[in-house]
Amino acid sequence: MFRRAFWFTAGAAAGVWATTKVNRQLKKLTPESLAAQAADKAVEAGHRLKDFALDVKAGMTQREDELKDALGLHQDPDRPDNVTALPGPRRLRALAHDPNDQTTHRSNNSTVTHNRNEDH
């Protein structure tokens, strides 16, 4: 008698356990649950991508500082970080250029005059 009662209870417990397990799996496969899982994965991937981008940016900054130190290019503390100055002589030459200047170039046996103000 006890043996039958034991097996009956064991069978009922196994049935309840299996039914619960199957119902949980079915709930995981509903469209809403699948959409939520996909959204969670997308958010997680976004966080990983953001962390990767921040790591790359930090590495770039570190390497840039190393290269500046190696080349002796130190930034002037009086100048803001976002302003970079051009070298003086190059800038003066560019500003001193006369656009009305007619320049003569020789190529092979002919002389070519370039005038930017002539009509075409």
Side-chain angles (χ1 to χ4, degrees):
M1 173 112 169
F2 286 112
R3 186 177 273 181
R4 286 185 184 174
F6 171 76
W7 286 114
F8 176 77
T9 338
V16 169
W17 177 81
T19 304
T20 307
K21 191 86 166 169
V22 168
N23 284 336
R24 284 184 187 164
Q25 289 299 323
L26 288 176
K27 285 181 183 179
K28 285 183 182 178
L29 296 176
T30 61
E32 296 84 14
S33 178
L34 291 175
Q37 288 176 11
D40 290 342
K41 295 286 184 182
V43 168
E44 182 181 333
H47 288 301
R48 287 183 183 172
L49 188 61
K50 179 183 172 187
D51 291 341
F52 174 72
L54 290 174
D55 288 344
V56 168
K57 186 176 180 180
M60 285 172 45
T61 304
Q62 179 184 359
R63 182 63 179 151
E64 188 174 309
D65 291 341
E66 291 172 2
L67 289 173
K68 283 182 180 179
D69 288 343
L71 295 174
L73 301 173
H74 300 286
Q75 183 148 0
D76 187 9
D78 296 334
R79 188 174 59 224
D81 288 341
N82 60 352
V83 176
T84 57
L86 293 174
R90 293 176 104 190
R91 184 173 171 88
L92 290 176
R93 261 187 272 145
L95 292 176
H97 178 67
D98 185 10
N100 296 325
D101 185 22
Q102 293 183 0
T103 321
T104 304
H105 297 285
R106 292 184 180 257
S107 63
N108 295 341
N109 295 333
S110 65
T111 302
V112 179
T113 302
H114 297 284
N115 184 357
R116 294 184 181 166
N117 292 329
E118 69 183 23
D119 293 329
H120 293 276

